[in-house]
């Protein structure tokens, strides 16, 4: 995934909304959904992307790719951190989690929605709703493959808890457990 493309699209979108502050973007796989650091805001979106298996080269579309943004504005500098959830091939044994590949048009839609949230959460402006749809490519009407979705495996896939309300309870439990494990490792590191 080309971070420069995301940064360029973000900058153009920021300028289109007459935001004068400087904003930067980075990919961060350590983001924990629903637990932004103090002073950070969050936006979570589902998006359309394609995946390609690095083993068998099989490709598949998904309209349920979870993307988590954490953002903050300090004085005149804004920062956006992005976590894009991966999926694995259902055909390969011991497949690896693959990064999503977004078409430029879908990055534009995703970042337009993000900038609307930035206006609301960081600048306290009502920017209205952005209902621009994602551009679907190929057939993607099959079932959500929870067993091959990183977000489902971490208990945070929004699609899963639409169907199964208990997943919200499990997600809360799993995030709390992950946070306490992280705190325990931090405490151990501090003692050393």
């Amino acid at each position: 995934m080309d971070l420069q493309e995301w940064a360029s699209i973000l900058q153009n979108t920021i300028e289109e909304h007459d935001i004068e502050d400087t904003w930067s973007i980075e990919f961060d796989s350590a983001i924990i959904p629903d637990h932004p650091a103090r002073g950070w805001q969050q936006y979570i979106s589902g998006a359309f992307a394609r995946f390609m298996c690095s083993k068998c080269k099989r490709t598949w579309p998904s309209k349920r790719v979870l993307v988590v943004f954490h953002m903050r504005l300090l004085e005149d500098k804004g920062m956006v951190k992005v976590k894009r959830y991966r999926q694995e091939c259902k055909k390969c044994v011991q497949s690896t989690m693959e990064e999503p590949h977004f078409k430029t048009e879908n990055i534009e839609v995703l970042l337009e929605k993000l900038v609307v949230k930035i206006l609301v959460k960081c600048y306290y402006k009502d920017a209205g709703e952005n209902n621009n749809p994602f551009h679907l490519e190929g057939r993607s009407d099959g079932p959500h493959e929870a067993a091959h979705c990183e977000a489902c495996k971490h208990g945070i896939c929004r699609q899963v808890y639409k169907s199964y309300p208990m997943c919200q309870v499990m997600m809360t439990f799993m995030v709390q457990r992950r946070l306490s494990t992280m705190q325990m490792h931090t405490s151990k590191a501090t003692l050393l």
Side-chain angles (χ1 to χ4, degrees):
M1 188 66 47
D2 185 13
L3 181 60
Q4 287 181 325
E5 181 179 18
W6 286 65
S8 174
I9 292 169
L10 177 64
Q11 189 59 42
N12 290 339
T13 308
I14 289 286
E15 289 172 8
E16 288 170 10
H17 285 275
D18 298 322
I19 297 172
E20 295 181 9
D21 297 322
T22 303
W23 281 82
S24 60
I25 189 168
E26 66 183 42
F27 296 141
D28 184 350
S29 61
I31 287 175
I32 300 175
D34 300 326
H35 290 83
R38 174 174 279 161
W40 289 74
Q41 301 294 322
Q42 174 177 268
Y43 170 58
I44 299 177
S45 179
F48 180 85
R50 294 194 65 80
F51 294 88
M52 182 167 74
C53 179
S54 54
K55 286 184 165 184
C56 72
K57 305 303 181 206
R58 175 182 166 268
T59 63
W60 66 95
S62 177
K63 57 184 176 185
R64 294 184 175 93
V65 180
L66 192 69
V67 183
V68 179
F69 297 97
H70 286 181
M71 64 261 190
R72 77 168 175 196
L73 177 63
L74 286 176
E75 297 177 18
D76 62 347
K77 294 193 185 333
M79 166 59 81
V80 175
K81 294 184 178 189
V82 185
K83 179 170 183 163
R84 298 147 307 141
Y85 279 86
R86 303 169 299 169
Q87 293 182 10
E88 62 188 4
C89 181
K90 68 180 182 180
K91 303 282 185 192
C92 290
V93 177
Q94 296 182 342
S95 57
T96 58
M97 287 288 176
E98 305 294 349
E99 293 290 335
H101 298 279
F102 295 91
K103 288 178 71 173
T104 300
E105 296 87 355
N106 287 334
I107 299 171
E108 290 169 351
V109 171
L110 197 54
L111 294 182
E112 174 66 30
K113 292 174 184 283
L114 170 67
V115 170
V116 167
K117 295 298 181 187
I118 287 173
L119 285 168
V120 171
K121 294 181 177 206
C122 297
Y123 295 98
Y124 310 104
K125 294 182 179 178
D126 181 10
E129 281 298 313
N130 177 328
N131 294 321
N132 290 343
F134 289 101
H135 303 271
L136 303 180
E137 176 189 325
R139 190 169 162 231
S140 62
D141 57 351
H144 183 59
E145 299 279 350
H148 303 285
C149 171
E150 181 182 31
C152 288
K153 288 182 177 190
H154 289 136
I156 55 168
C157 183
R158 300 308 198 239
Q159 177 61 28
V160 172
Y161 38 91
K162 282 181 187 172
S163 303
Y164 307 102
M166 278 306 293
C167 288
Q168 285 183 314
V169 173
M170 284 302 296
M171 190 265 320
T172 302
F173 170 75
M174 290 174 74
V175 168
Q176 288 173 344
R177 192 172 85 197
R178 186 171 173 199
L179 285 173
S180 65
T181 302
M182 288 173 58
Q183 289 168 349
M184 188 171 59
H185 290 299
T186 303
S187 297
K188 284 181 183 178
T190 305
L191 293 175
L192 299 175

